[in-house]
Each structure stands twice: as structure tokens, then as C-alpha cells.
Amino acid sequence: MKLKTFASLLIILVVTKLVNAQSIPTISAVQPIVPTPEVYKLVEGQLILADNISVSSKDLPENIKTYLIEKLNHVYELRTTISAVSKDLIFKKIVNVPKDWYSINVNETITITYSSEESCFYAVVSLLQMIEGKNGELFIQKCFVQDAPNFQWRGLHLDVARHFYTVEEVKRFIDLMAFYKFNTFHWHLTDDQGWRIEIKKYPKLTEIGAWRDSTVNAHYSTIPRTYTVEKYGGYYTQEQIKEVVSYAAAQYITIVPEIEMPGHARAALAAYPQYSCTGEQQGVPGLWGVFDDIFCAHESTFDFLYGIMDEVLELFPSTYIHIGGDEAPKARWKKCKKCQAVIRENGLKDEHELQSYFIGKMDEYLTAKGRKLIGWDEILEGGLSPNAAVMSWRGMEGGLEAAKMKHYAVMSPGSHCYFDHYQSDSPSEPLAIGGYTPIEKVYQFSPIPTGLDNEGLTYILGGQANLWTEYIPTMQQLEYMTYPRALALSQALWCKSRPAYADFKATLLYHQFDFLERYNVNFSKAVTFAKYSLKNTENGVKLELAKEAADQSFNVHYSDTNGAHDQGLTKGDSIVFERTEINQVNPVKVEISNKFTDDKQGFTLIQHPSLGLKVELITKPSAQYSGKGGETLTDGILGTRPWKGNEWLGFQDQEIELQVDLGKVSAIDSIDLSFLQDEGSWIHHPYILRFSVSKNGKKWKYLKNAEIKTYEYTIDPNNLMPYRAILKSKGRFVSIKLTTFDVIPEGLPGENNVPWTFMDELIIYFK
Ligand code: ACM
Ligand code: ZN
């Protein structure tokens, strides 16, 4: 997937303007800066950037001067002269304006006015984003910009434990964050699969804990698992950490370190097994997931963790210190004499209160040192510690609950802020953990939950996206997963009021993609992909190109039993894939190529005998995984593994019911049903399937003798049809009732939480 050249796409867009004047704005009319400034007023004309720009040194902080000159000289190949009397670009520090406020006036010269060093820096990055044209012919559209941020925590997180990123790579991550006015880098330094920070008091943490012997291949849920047996790891020395902290500070980014406890601690326990409950010596795991072995809640563990924290606090000046707190199974604590003694001696009710006690000890320690504890929302379990802030990841509820209790919260819900999820349904997407979070969805994010009064709102610090790296092994891929979704997030965190998504998209296409290319960022171009829908029709499923694809044109290539076909499609055009006769199942490979780019998208549609039939969902799926409602189950697109989210229907009910309308009374032979099993994501098969049929939708006959076979469907190894139900019955309507566990059994990830049921295609065979 590669743009022929972005410039050629722009030319095509501009040419198209003559044809379609309303929908395509001129380039200069499109506001270039992300996040969108509060005020952007266009002025007639362009300021051509002369080769030698004279920059005034007055009111220009030294470190911003270095940053600006480095960019102008080396990226834009402009010469600069700095002196007190320079006049092309001048700076004015002023008082009596809001914190982090700035303005930029571009006319015959450029004037930047600002209130704080941070805002001077923000003005400079806005200015860089305004530079257009090719080197040698650079210009800035004349305009007036005025701006200030909305939220104070504008974060990106990076997990360097699952895959290690070098100091240079981390600096690059920080450089790119700074362009979009993020100010908090959450550095996830420790996890089960690696300990990445040198602690001088406990050298084995990096001698042993920084290295694993093997790494699992493919996806966690692909069975049987295979491993690459190769030493993998790395860590940062304290000198390197100091260097990164000051590097980030020079771009007004605070680094919040995360030291995970009590769970996700296997790397630490491989080095110091005496701080586990069993004391058993185990290696650093090369498998992802959640492990039962966590820190023992005994006093000696706290001394160990305090010793680590003492060194962490020396290295990181941040107010907040992240202690993890998520996904800590209680299996070991339940059986551990030492943990049970702590429960008894402190009058705790259970292991959940022990978790709260654990976090409370760290809170006390950090508070005494003048710092503040932040942890994932599981730290609410068993009672929130007095000074703790909550990072809400399992939805917005944890943050909401914290804010209601007058605790600070950062919103980072999996639904919108997990950039390890898929960002398009193109088969060219690299393997990801699962989930579906396209940029449009990120753009809908707001860190403000519903249900807070004005006082509660003051406790919402902001938001953050997380880059978990189980499936992100390289910097190239890290950039691809982060950009441009991080731009959509920056809008949610910076802007007091955001433009419509279409305007943001125009800014991406007309300006920001050029900007990212100038800085050699490997970003996703999923926003240029064809927008199409698959809709159920009378006799099957219709592929239709969306209206918003007006500026694009696609070729659809597909092969079915009649051979290969090519069809050009523009907006509103469609192709119908018909339902098959009786027992035929026929995979059709569909490839959609964008004529202006080399992008190819595609999918495999299964033509089958129940394609396009109407399904009524008596039990409603979760809003997050509602696909196209009932149509999802008969659209010919099979749920995949790893899952992307939009192709499955996800339910969180113990009883699930749905009805299929066959259109006429028919002789039914059997039904294939597909469910996802992905324990790590709390997704489980149902364990009871019941079928009834009806001729009129009123009087039902329960098929108590329906034979249900487990079954492996073979069209694609990523698609599983685990059950075939032999019905041998007659009717127009089929009712399917599923029963799942009420809660996930103990010992499995997400124990005691309600499990998810992910269901997709229903294939009905007739006699
Ligand atoms: C998390 O994603 N386990 C915080
Ligand atoms: Zn214990």
C-alpha cells in the first residue's frame, strides 16, 4: 500500500474540484494545523519563505531556538540568521493571558505572541505545520492563529516490555508526539515479558529480568502455539533514562514511568523469586497474557518495591508515578500463608481488599516523597487509596467513579484509545491484538464521561492512547499504528470545540499527510480507502460504494464460480452477490483497488444458502460490537481470528436469543454457527445451544433432539465454524437461544467478570 505520490493525489483532487465544486475545498481554504487551533483566520495571499530567514532572538527561549533552527535548517533546508534586530520572525512574551496561550500572525512577517515557554513551543510546532510547498519554494498561507489547550493530560503510552525500543527509537516517538502537542509520555517500563529499567540496588532485575529465551509466534489465540527460540530483550541504563527524560522535557513532555505491580511482574519475579507467593524459580515468559504469579503482598515485597521506587524517583521528576495495578489474578494470594496473614492482621475482607492495601502502601510511600500515585482502574477494587489517581481503561466508568469521589482521572478507554487495535478492515493490515478502532472512532472520543457535575469535571485530567506492543515489534509498525490516529486523539485532548470529521479529514489529506511524509513517518492511509457497505437484499448481499467516495474511483475484481470479473465502481454503484442453491458454499474473493493510489482492499465473501436472510436480534448486542445488527450474521463475511470487532456481534448477556426469517416455509437440514474463543480478551463460546422452528413466527416447536456437533470449518484457517446443528425440520422461522457462563471461571483471564460472546456467520442448509 503506497501512494503513487501524494502530490499527484492532490492534483487529482483539485482537478476533480472543477467537476464537483461543493465537496472539494481549495487547498488554501483548508486549515492546516492539528490539533485545530481555537482561531484560524485566513488572510489573502501567501508569505513566501526567503532562503535566509532572520529570526529575532528576543523572547525566544534558548531551547526552542535550537529546536526551530534545527528544523528550518535541516528539514526545510532554509538558512536562518538570529539576532536581536531580526524581523522576519519575532517573538513576544506577554502576561495576563491564559496559561499556554499563543497567537501567530502571518503577514509580511511572522509574529508569535505567547504566555509560557510551553506555548512558545506550541506556536513553533504550529508554524512548522503551516509551511507548505517543496523545499526551495516554501510558503505559508497568510493568517491569524490564536490557541490554547483544553486538557492538561494529553498522553501517549508506549509498552517497551513486550517489544523493546532503543533510546533513539523512544526519542523519535517523543519527537512525533511533540508535533501534536502531547505533553505526557507514559513509559511502560516493566511487564511480565521484560524489565527495562536499571535499578542499581537490584541488578538482577536487568541481568535476568530484561531477557527472555523465546517469543511466541503469530497470535496468542492461534493454537498450537509456536515460539521463536532466541534471546530477546534490552534495558535502559540510568544514564540513558536521564538523557530521555531531559530530551522529552526540551519538547515540553513529562515522562510518567510505570512500574507494574502487583500483577504483570513475572520478569521481576524471574530475577527475585522470593517476592512471589510460591518462591518458585520461573523464567521470563515469552508468551503474552495474564499470569497467576504476581508479587506477594508480604512486608518484604514492599521493602523491595520501595527500594526500586527510590531510584525511579531520582530519575523521573514527574508528579505522577504509575504503579500499574491492572490484571492481578488472586489465585496465588488465596493460597499463600503470608498473604492470608496480611489479610487477617489488617482486618481485610478478602484478596480484593488486599489489592487495595497493596496499592495503599505504595500511595503512602509516594505521597511521603511528594509524588502522586496513578494506576489502572482496577485500583478501585477493594477501595481507592486516599491520594490515588485512576487511569480508566476498561471503559469510562472507572474514571467516572474516581472523579465522583474527588480523585483525578485520565481517560484511556479500550473502545477509543487502544492503538494496538486494527484501524481498517483491509487484509493488508499487520497482525494486531484484535479490536477495531478506525480513526473515525478515535475522532469521536471525548475524555468527559456522562454523569459528572461541574465539580466532578475538574477531576478529569485528560486522556491518553496506549500502544501495547505484543504485536508491534518494530518502529516502522509502531508509527503505522500510532499515525494518523494520534492526530484524531490530539483533537479530543487539545480542542475546546472540534471541527466536523470531514474537515479534519480534509486537513489530513491536504496538509498533514505531507507533513508526516516530510518527517518520514510511516503512517496509515486507511482514510483514503474505499468506503463501501455490504447490505442484505432480496436475493443476497449488495456491495455498494459510499457516496463520500465521490472524489475517488475504484476497480472491483472478483472471482466466483463463473470466473473472474472486473468492474469499475464510483459512488453509489453496486454489485449483488446472490444466495446459493441448497447446499452450496462458495467463497468469492473480492479485491477493491483505488485507481489513484496503489491501495488494495478486499475481503472474501462466502456465498451460501442463507446469504442476506433477515435476522432479528431479540437480545441486543453491546453497542461497541453491534456490527450491522442482525445483518452481520448473514452478510457472507465470516468473523475472523484475530478479531477486528466489526465483523462479529458481541454480547454480554448470559442468555442470547435471535430469530432468522427464511422468507418462506422451508425444509431445513442444518445450521453452521461460528463463535470466537479468545480467553485473553474474555471471549468464550456459549455452552448451551437450543433451536426452535415456527411456520408463522407465533407458534414454536422446540427441537429437543437437535444434534449438535463440534465442527471445524475449513475455508480459511482464520475462520472457525465450531458447531453444526442438525435440525431436520420444517418452518419459516428459526429461533436460536444461547446460554453462556454468568461469570468467567476463576483461573482464567478476567475471572469473575461477565464473559463476552462473539458470534458471526449463520449458514443454513436446506433439504
Ligand atoms: C491494560 O490494558 N491491561 C491496562
Ligand atoms: Zn503471598
Side-chain angles (χ1 to χ4, degrees), residues 157 162 186 188 191 258 260 264 290 322 324-327 376-378 391-394 412 414 418 420 466 468 470:
H157 147 291
R162 276 52 176 271
H186 172 168
H188 184 80
D191 213 300
E258 179 179 356
E260 268 270 18
H264 290 292
V290 173
H322 204 299
D326 59 321
E327 298 179 318
W376 301 110
D377 56 49
E378 286 93 330
M391 188 168 271
S392 198
W393 74 280
R394 294 176 299 174
S412 189
Y418 270 46
D420 54 343
N466 299 329
W468 300 103
E470 288 95 331

PDB file of all heavy atoms in Angstrom, residues 157 162 186 188 191 258 260 264 290 322 324-327 376-378 391-394 412 414 418 420 466 468 470, ligand 1:
ATOM      1  N   HIS A 157       1.126   6.458  25.444  1.00  0.00           N
ATOM      2  CA  HIS A 157       1.802   5.434  26.251  1.00  0.00           C
ATOM      3  C   HIS A 157       2.578   4.541  25.305  1.00  0.00           C
ATOM      4  O   HIS A 157       2.198   4.364  24.150  1.00  0.00           O
ATOM      5  CB  HIS A 157       0.689   4.685  26.998  1.00  0.00           C
ATOM      6  CG  HIS A 157       0.875   3.226  27.268  1.00  0.00           C
ATOM      7  ND1 HIS A 157       0.869   2.263  26.283  1.00  0.00           N
ATOM      8  CD2 HIS A 157       1.004   2.542  28.440  1.00  0.00           C
ATOM      9  CE1 HIS A 157       1.006   1.064  26.840  1.00  0.00           C
ATOM     10  NE2 HIS A 157       1.091   1.205  28.135  1.00  0.00           N
ATOM     11  N   ARG A 162       7.017  -5.696  26.085  1.00  0.00           N
ATOM     12  CA  ARG A 162       6.680  -6.799  25.162  1.00  0.00           C
ATOM     13  C   ARG A 162       7.632  -6.751  23.977  1.00  0.00           C
ATOM     14  O   ARG A 162       8.131  -7.768  23.533  1.00  0.00           O
ATOM     15  CB  ARG A 162       5.234  -6.687  24.703  1.00  0.00           C
ATOM     16  CG  ARG A 162       4.202  -7.298  25.649  1.00  0.00           C
ATOM     17  CD  ARG A 162       4.304  -6.827  27.075  1.00  0.00           C
ATOM     18  NE  ARG A 162       3.278  -7.343  27.929  1.00  0.00           N
ATOM     19  CZ  ARG A 162       2.084  -6.781  28.142  1.00  0.00           C
ATOM     20  NH1 ARG A 162       1.789  -5.615  27.594  1.00  0.00           N
ATOM     21  NH2 ARG A 162       1.214  -7.355  28.948  1.00  0.00           N
ATOM     22  N   HIS A 186       3.749   8.252  28.761  1.00  0.00           N
ATOM     23  CA  HIS A 186       3.603   7.206  29.778  1.00  0.00           C
ATOM     24  C   HIS A 186       4.487   6.039  29.327  1.00  0.00           C
ATOM     25  O   HIS A 186       4.175   5.359  28.355  1.00  0.00           O
ATOM     26  CB  HIS A 186       2.109   6.851  29.842  1.00  0.00           C
ATOM     27  CG  HIS A 186       1.772   5.669  30.692  1.00  0.00           C
ATOM     28  ND1 HIS A 186       0.476   5.367  31.041  1.00  0.00           N
ATOM     29  CD2 HIS A 186       2.519   4.712  31.265  1.00  0.00           C
ATOM     30  CE1 HIS A 186       0.454   4.272  31.775  1.00  0.00           C
ATOM     31  NE2 HIS A 186       1.684   3.841  31.911  1.00  0.00           N
ATOM     32  N   HIS A 188       5.841   2.602  29.758  1.00  0.00           N
ATOM     33  CA  HIS A 188       5.503   1.324  30.410  1.00  0.00           C
ATOM     34  C   HIS A 188       6.778   0.473  30.434  1.00  0.00           C
ATOM     35  O   HIS A 188       7.092  -0.245  29.496  1.00  0.00           O
ATOM     36  CB  HIS A 188       4.380   0.660  29.615  1.00  0.00           C
ATOM     37  CG  HIS A 188       3.866  -0.602  30.218  1.00  0.00           C
ATOM     38  ND1 HIS A 188       2.965  -0.631  31.259  1.00  0.00           N
ATOM     39  CD2 HIS A 188       4.127  -1.901  29.929  1.00  0.00           C
ATOM     40  CE1 HIS A 188       2.693  -1.887  31.571  1.00  0.00           C
ATOM     41  NE2 HIS A 188       3.386  -2.683  30.778  1.00  0.00           N
ATOM     42  N   ASP A 191       7.013  -5.314  32.648  1.00  0.00           N
ATOM     43  CA  ASP A 191       5.857  -6.201  32.474  1.00  0.00           C
ATOM     44  C   ASP A 191       6.354  -7.627  32.606  1.00  0.00           C
ATOM     45  O   ASP A 191       7.549  -7.852  32.895  1.00  0.00           O
ATOM     46  CB  ASP A 191       5.152  -5.946  31.125  1.00  0.00           C
ATOM     47  CG  ASP A 191       3.649  -6.172  31.245  1.00  0.00           C
ATOM     48  OD1 ASP A 191       3.255  -7.304  31.584  1.00  0.00           O
ATOM     49  OD2 ASP A 191       2.876  -5.222  31.031  1.00  0.00           O
ATOM     50  N   GLU A 258       6.042   3.819  34.395  1.00  0.00           N
ATOM     51  CA  GLU A 258       5.167   2.829  35.008  1.00  0.00           C
ATOM     52  C   GLU A 258       5.995   1.630  35.454  1.00  0.00           C
ATOM     53  O   GLU A 258       6.733   1.040  34.666  1.00  0.00           O
ATOM     54  CB  GLU A 258       4.079   2.356  34.035  1.00  0.00           C
ATOM     55  CG  GLU A 258       3.176   1.298  34.690  1.00  0.00           C
ATOM     56  CD  GLU A 258       2.048   0.797  33.787  1.00  0.00           C
ATOM     57  OE1 GLU A 258       1.886   1.313  32.667  1.00  0.00           O
ATOM     58  OE2 GLU A 258       1.343  -0.136  34.217  1.00  0.00           O
ATOM     59  N   GLU A 260       5.036  -1.849  37.023  1.00  0.00           N
ATOM     60  CA  GLU A 260       3.808  -2.647  37.226  1.00  0.00           C
ATOM     61  C   GLU A 260       3.839  -3.452  38.517  1.00  0.00           C
ATOM     62  O   GLU A 260       4.818  -4.138  38.808  1.00  0.00           O
ATOM     63  CB  GLU A 260       3.661  -3.631  36.066  1.00  0.00           C
ATOM     64  CG  GLU A 260       2.831  -3.102  34.912  1.00  0.00           C
ATOM     65  CD  GLU A 260       1.331  -3.404  35.042  1.00  0.00           C
ATOM     66  OE1 GLU A 260       0.846  -3.719  36.150  1.00  0.00           O
ATOM     67  OE2 GLU A 260       0.659  -3.315  34.008  1.00  0.00           O
ATOM     68  N   HIS A 264       1.485  -8.530  36.422  1.00  0.00           N
ATOM     69  CA  HIS A 264       2.423  -8.274  35.313  1.00  0.00           C
ATOM     70  C   HIS A 264       3.858  -8.132  35.838  1.00  0.00           C
ATOM     71  O   HIS A 264       4.576  -7.217  35.446  1.00  0.00           O
ATOM     72  CB  HIS A 264       1.993  -7.035  34.521  1.00  0.00           C
ATOM     73  CG  HIS A 264       0.746  -7.257  33.725  1.00  0.00           C
ATOM     74  ND1 HIS A 264       0.694  -8.103  32.635  1.00  0.00           N
ATOM     75  CD2 HIS A 264      -0.522  -6.773  33.873  1.00  0.00           C
ATOM     76  CE1 HIS A 264      -0.537  -8.109  32.131  1.00  0.00           C
ATOM     77  NE2 HIS A 264      -1.299  -7.320  32.874  1.00  0.00           N
ATOM     78  N   VAL A 290      -2.027 -12.897  30.806  1.00  0.00           N
ATOM     79  CA  VAL A 290      -2.066 -12.548  32.226  1.00  0.00           C
ATOM     80  C   VAL A 290      -1.608 -13.785  32.994  1.00  0.00           C
ATOM     81  O   VAL A 290      -2.059 -14.891  32.695  1.00  0.00           O
ATOM     82  CB  VAL A 290      -3.503 -12.141  32.624  1.00  0.00           C
ATOM     83  CG1 VAL A 290      -3.626 -11.941  34.118  1.00  0.00           C
ATOM     84  CG2 VAL A 290      -3.919 -10.872  31.884  1.00  0.00           C
ATOM     85  N   HIS A 322       3.249   5.923  37.863  1.00  0.00           N
ATOM     86  CA  HIS A 322       2.245   4.899  37.547  1.00  0.00           C
ATOM     87  C   HIS A 322       2.690   3.560  38.134  1.00  0.00           C
ATOM     88  O   HIS A 322       3.805   3.122  37.888  1.00  0.00           O
ATOM     89  CB  HIS A 322       2.097   4.792  36.029  1.00  0.00           C
ATOM     90  CG  HIS A 322       0.776   4.257  35.579  1.00  0.00           C
ATOM     91  ND1 HIS A 322       0.330   3.003  35.918  1.00  0.00           N
ATOM     92  CD2 HIS A 322      -0.199   4.818  34.817  1.00  0.00           C
ATOM     93  CE1 HIS A 322      -0.862   2.799  35.368  1.00  0.00           C
ATOM     94  NE2 HIS A 322      -1.216   3.896  34.700  1.00  0.00           N
ATOM     95  N   GLY A 324       0.802   0.688  37.740  1.00  0.00           N
ATOM     96  CA  GLY A 324       0.079  -0.422  37.086  1.00  0.00           C
ATOM     97  C   GLY A 324      -1.192  -0.729  37.847  1.00  0.00           C
ATOM     98  O   GLY A 324      -2.104   0.070  37.889  1.00  0.00           O
ATOM     99  N   GLY A 325      -1.242  -1.914  38.460  1.00  0.00           N
ATOM    100  CA  GLY A 325      -2.408  -2.282  39.264  1.00  0.00           C
ATOM    101  C   GLY A 325      -3.440  -3.100  38.509  1.00  0.00           C
ATOM    102  O   GLY A 325      -4.406  -3.585  39.107  1.00  0.00           O
ATOM    103  N   ASP A 326      -3.268  -3.260  37.179  1.00  0.00           N
ATOM    104  CA  ASP A 326      -4.279  -3.979  36.397  1.00  0.00           C
ATOM    105  C   ASP A 326      -4.030  -5.484  36.420  1.00  0.00           C
ATOM    106  O   ASP A 326      -2.931  -5.942  36.707  1.00  0.00           O
ATOM    107  CB  ASP A 326      -4.258  -3.495  34.937  1.00  0.00           C
ATOM    108  CG  ASP A 326      -2.903  -3.711  34.278  1.00  0.00           C
ATOM    109  OD1 ASP A 326      -1.882  -3.509  34.968  1.00  0.00           O
ATOM    110  OD2 ASP A 326      -2.851  -4.094  33.104  1.00  0.00           O
ATOM    111  N   GLU A 327      -5.059  -6.212  36.088  1.00  0.00           N
ATOM    112  CA  GLU A 327      -4.993  -7.639  35.767  1.00  0.00           C
ATOM    113  C   GLU A 327      -4.117  -8.440  36.735  1.00  0.00           C
ATOM    114  O   GLU A 327      -3.156  -9.084  36.322  1.00  0.00           O
ATOM    115  CB  GLU A 327      -4.485  -7.804  34.328  1.00  0.00           C
ATOM    116  CG  GLU A 327      -5.425  -7.159  33.311  1.00  0.00           C
ATOM    117  CD  GLU A 327      -4.954  -7.284  31.867  1.00  0.00           C
ATOM    118  OE1 GLU A 327      -3.753  -7.116  31.613  1.00  0.00           O
ATOM    119  OE2 GLU A 327      -5.798  -7.513  31.003  1.00  0.00           O
ATOM    120  N   TRP A 376      -4.034   1.858  36.844  1.00  0.00           N
ATOM    121  CA  TRP A 376      -5.165   1.413  36.005  1.00  0.00           C
ATOM    122  C   TRP A 376      -6.406   1.237  36.880  1.00  0.00           C
ATOM    123  O   TRP A 376      -6.286   1.084  38.104  1.00  0.00           O
ATOM    124  CB  TRP A 376      -4.810   0.111  35.296  1.00  0.00           C
ATOM    125  CG  TRP A 376      -3.601   0.211  34.408  1.00  0.00           C
ATOM    126  CD1 TRP A 376      -2.385  -0.358  34.627  1.00  0.00           C
ATOM    127  CD2 TRP A 376      -3.480   0.928  33.165  1.00  0.00           C
ATOM    128  NE1 TRP A 376      -1.519  -0.056  33.601  1.00  0.00           N
ATOM    129  CE2 TRP A 376      -2.165   0.736  32.689  1.00  0.00           C
ATOM    130  CE3 TRP A 376      -4.356   1.715  32.408  1.00  0.00           C
ATOM    131  CZ2 TRP A 376      -1.708   1.293  31.493  1.00  0.00           C
ATOM    132  CZ3 TRP A 376      -3.895   2.271  31.211  1.00  0.00           C
ATOM    133  CH2 TRP A 376      -2.590   2.060  30.764  1.00  0.00           C
ATOM    134  N   ASP A 377      -7.576   1.195  36.258  1.00  0.00           N
ATOM    135  CA  ASP A 377      -8.812   1.325  37.051  1.00  0.00           C
ATOM    136  C   ASP A 377      -9.071   0.184  38.032  1.00  0.00           C
ATOM    137  O   ASP A 377      -9.905   0.322  38.928  1.00  0.00           O
ATOM    138  CB  ASP A 377     -10.031   1.611  36.164  1.00  0.00           C
ATOM    139  CG  ASP A 377     -10.258   0.582  35.082  1.00  0.00           C
ATOM    140  OD1 ASP A 377     -10.246  -0.622  35.390  1.00  0.00           O
ATOM    141  OD2 ASP A 377     -10.467   0.985  33.918  1.00  0.00           O
ATOM    142  N   GLU A 378      -8.337  -0.929  37.919  1.00  0.00           N
ATOM    143  CA  GLU A 378      -8.509  -1.993  38.917  1.00  0.00           C
ATOM    144  C   GLU A 378      -8.117  -1.531  40.321  1.00  0.00           C
ATOM    145  O   GLU A 378      -8.466  -2.185  41.300  1.00  0.00           O
ATOM    146  CB  GLU A 378      -7.682  -3.229  38.564  1.00  0.00           C
ATOM    147  CG  GLU A 378      -8.231  -4.043  37.407  1.00  0.00           C
ATOM    148  CD  GLU A 378      -7.640  -3.650  36.068  1.00  0.00           C
ATOM    149  OE1 GLU A 378      -7.274  -2.466  35.895  1.00  0.00           O
ATOM    150  OE2 GLU A 378      -7.556  -4.525  35.188  1.00  0.00           O
ATOM    151  N   MET A 391      -6.412   5.693  36.015  1.00  0.00           N
ATOM    152  CA  MET A 391      -6.358   5.702  34.557  1.00  0.00           C
ATOM    153  C   MET A 391      -7.375   4.673  34.085  1.00  0.00           C
ATOM    154  O   MET A 391      -7.220   3.482  34.316  1.00  0.00           O
ATOM    155  CB  MET A 391      -4.950   5.353  34.083  1.00  0.00           C
ATOM    156  CG  MET A 391      -4.759   5.536  32.607  1.00  0.00           C
ATOM    157  SD  MET A 391      -3.019   5.438  32.165  1.00  0.00           S
ATOM    158  CE  MET A 391      -2.499   7.143  32.352  1.00  0.00           C
ATOM    159  N   SER A 392      -8.419   5.162  33.436  1.00  0.00           N
ATOM    160  CA  SER A 392      -9.595   4.340  33.123  1.00  0.00           C
ATOM    161  C   SER A 392      -9.421   3.671  31.771  1.00  0.00           C
ATOM    162  O   SER A 392      -9.400   4.337  30.749  1.00  0.00           O
ATOM    163  CB  SER A 392     -10.808   5.279  33.109  1.00  0.00           C
ATOM    164  OG  SER A 392     -11.993   4.571  33.224  1.00  0.00           O
ATOM    165  N   TRP A 393      -9.291   2.338  31.777  1.00  0.00           N
ATOM    166  CA  TRP A 393      -9.055   1.630  30.504  1.00  0.00           C
ATOM    167  C   TRP A 393     -10.164   0.663  30.139  1.00  0.00           C
ATOM    168  O   TRP A 393     -10.412   0.407  28.981  1.00  0.00           O
ATOM    169  CB  TRP A 393      -7.703   0.907  30.534  1.00  0.00           C
ATOM    170  CG  TRP A 393      -7.638  -0.337  31.374  1.00  0.00           C
ATOM    171  CD1 TRP A 393      -7.478  -0.403  32.729  1.00  0.00           C
ATOM    172  CD2 TRP A 393      -7.706  -1.696  30.925  1.00  0.00           C
ATOM    173  NE1 TRP A 393      -7.454  -1.704  33.144  1.00  0.00           N
ATOM    174  CE2 TRP A 393      -7.579  -2.529  32.054  1.00  0.00           C
ATOM    175  CE3 TRP A 393      -7.858  -2.302  29.678  1.00  0.00           C
ATOM    176  CZ2 TRP A 393      -7.616  -3.923  31.987  1.00  0.00           C
ATOM    177  CZ3 TRP A 393      -7.890  -3.678  29.600  1.00  0.00           C
ATOM    178  CH2 TRP A 393      -7.766  -4.478  30.742  1.00  0.00           C
ATOM    179  N   ARG A 394     -10.908   0.136  31.155  1.00  0.00           N
ATOM    180  CA  ARG A 394     -11.963  -0.835  30.823  1.00  0.00           C
ATOM    181  C   ARG A 394     -13.266  -0.091  30.535  1.00  0.00           C
ATOM    182  O   ARG A 394     -14.326  -0.501  30.965  1.00  0.00           O
ATOM    183  CB  ARG A 394     -12.140  -1.825  31.976  1.00  0.00           C
ATOM    184  CG  ARG A 394     -10.931  -2.718  32.192  1.00  0.00           C
ATOM    185  CD  ARG A 394     -11.090  -3.608  33.391  1.00  0.00           C
ATOM    186  NE  ARG A 394     -11.252  -2.845  34.608  1.00  0.00           N
ATOM    187  CZ  ARG A 394     -11.523  -3.367  35.798  1.00  0.00           C
ATOM    188  NH1 ARG A 394     -11.680  -4.668  35.922  1.00  0.00           N
ATOM    189  NH2 ARG A 394     -11.635  -2.601  36.864  1.00  0.00           N
ATOM    190  N   SER A 412      -8.676   6.567  29.187  1.00  0.00           N
ATOM    191  CA  SER A 412      -7.961   5.839  28.147  1.00  0.00           C
ATOM    192  C   SER A 412      -8.733   4.555  27.809  1.00  0.00           C
ATOM    193  O   SER A 412      -8.179   3.453  27.874  1.00  0.00           O
ATOM    194  CB  SER A 412      -6.562   5.524  28.688  1.00  0.00           C
ATOM    195  OG  SER A 412      -5.775   5.024  27.680  1.00  0.00           O
ATOM    196  N   GLY A 414     -10.486   1.361  26.230  1.00  0.00           N
ATOM    197  CA  GLY A 414     -10.143   0.439  25.149  1.00  0.00           C
ATOM    198  C   GLY A 414     -10.934   0.696  23.879  1.00  0.00           C
ATOM    199  O   GLY A 414     -10.442   0.486  22.777  1.00  0.00           O
ATOM    200  N   TYR A 418      -7.117   2.483  22.321  1.00  0.00           N
ATOM    201  CA  TYR A 418      -6.126   1.414  22.218  1.00  0.00           C
ATOM    202  C   TYR A 418      -5.655   1.323  20.770  1.00  0.00           C
ATOM    203  O   TYR A 418      -6.344   0.800  19.905  1.00  0.00           O
ATOM    204  CB  TYR A 418      -6.714   0.087  22.744  1.00  0.00           C
ATOM    205  CG  TYR A 418      -6.457  -0.065  24.230  1.00  0.00           C
ATOM    206  CD1 TYR A 418      -6.688   1.003  25.088  1.00  0.00           C
ATOM    207  CD2 TYR A 418      -5.951  -1.238  24.770  1.00  0.00           C
ATOM    208  CE1 TYR A 418      -6.435   0.897  26.445  1.00  0.00           C
ATOM    209  CE2 TYR A 418      -5.693  -1.357  26.127  1.00  0.00           C
ATOM    210  CZ  TYR A 418      -5.936  -0.284  26.958  1.00  0.00           C
ATOM    211  OH  TYR A 418      -5.677  -0.389  28.300  1.00  0.00           O
ATOM    212  N   ASP A 420      -3.366  -0.410  19.614  1.00  0.00           N
ATOM    213  CA  ASP A 420      -2.906  -1.732  19.169  1.00  0.00           C
ATOM    214  C   ASP A 420      -4.041  -2.472  18.463  1.00  0.00           C
ATOM    215  O   ASP A 420      -3.847  -3.580  17.984  1.00  0.00           O
ATOM    216  CB  ASP A 420      -2.339  -2.569  20.329  1.00  0.00           C
ATOM    217  CG  ASP A 420      -3.286  -2.715  21.510  1.00  0.00           C
ATOM    218  OD1 ASP A 420      -4.265  -1.928  21.624  1.00  0.00           O
ATOM    219  OD2 ASP A 420      -3.047  -3.611  22.341  1.00  0.00           O
ATOM    220  N   ASN A 466      -2.967   4.210  24.197  1.00  0.00           N
ATOM    221  CA  ASN A 466      -1.976   3.231  24.640  1.00  0.00           C
ATOM    222  C   ASN A 466      -1.460   2.401  23.476  1.00  0.00           C
ATOM    223  O   ASN A 466      -2.229   1.942  22.646  1.00  0.00           O
ATOM    224  CB  ASN A 466      -2.588   2.315  25.698  1.00  0.00           C
ATOM    225  CG  ASN A 466      -3.023   3.115  26.908  1.00  0.00           C
ATOM    226  OD1 ASN A 466      -2.415   4.136  27.227  1.00  0.00           O
ATOM    227  ND2 ASN A 466      -4.088   2.688  27.556  1.00  0.00           N
ATOM    228  N   TRP A 468       0.275  -0.829  23.253  1.00  0.00           N
ATOM    229  CA  TRP A 468       0.774  -2.110  23.758  1.00  0.00           C
ATOM    230  C   TRP A 468       1.454  -2.820  22.605  1.00  0.00           C
ATOM    231  O   TRP A 468       0.935  -2.814  21.485  1.00  0.00           O
ATOM    232  CB  TRP A 468      -0.393  -2.942  24.304  1.00  0.00           C
ATOM    233  CG  TRP A 468      -1.116  -2.254  25.425  1.00  0.00           C
ATOM    234  CD1 TRP A 468      -2.314  -1.624  25.355  1.00  0.00           C
ATOM    235  CD2 TRP A 468      -0.678  -2.106  26.786  1.00  0.00           C
ATOM    236  NE1 TRP A 468      -2.646  -1.097  26.578  1.00  0.00           N
ATOM    237  CE2 TRP A 468      -1.661  -1.380  27.475  1.00  0.00           C
ATOM    238  CE3 TRP A 468       0.464  -2.519  27.489  1.00  0.00           C
ATOM    239  CZ2 TRP A 468      -1.554  -1.055  28.828  1.00  0.00           C
ATOM    240  CZ3 TRP A 468       0.572  -2.207  28.826  1.00  0.00           C
ATOM    241  CH2 TRP A 468      -0.419  -1.486  29.489  1.00  0.00           C
ATOM    242  N   GLU A 470       2.663  -6.160  22.092  1.00  0.00           N
ATOM    243  CA  GLU A 470       2.770  -7.604  21.830  1.00  0.00           C
ATOM    244  C   GLU A 470       2.892  -7.859  20.334  1.00  0.00           C
ATOM    245  O   GLU A 470       3.676  -8.715  19.897  1.00  0.00           O
ATOM    246  CB  GLU A 470       1.519  -8.347  22.322  1.00  0.00           C
ATOM    247  CG  GLU A 470       1.380  -8.468  23.817  1.00  0.00           C
ATOM    248  CD  GLU A 470       0.524  -7.365  24.417  1.00  0.00           C
ATOM    249  OE1 GLU A 470       0.491  -6.248  23.836  1.00  0.00           O
ATOM    250  OE2 GLU A 470      -0.109  -7.596  25.453  1.00  0.00           O
TER     251      GLU A 470
HETATM  252  C1  ACM B   1      -4.407  -2.802  30.339  1.00  0.00           C
HETATM  253  O1  ACM B   1      -4.663  -2.682  29.139  1.00  0.00           O
HETATM  254  N1  ACM B   1      -4.257  -4.004  30.879  1.00  0.00           N
HETATM  255  C2  ACM B   1      -4.258  -1.655  31.212  1.00  0.00           C
END
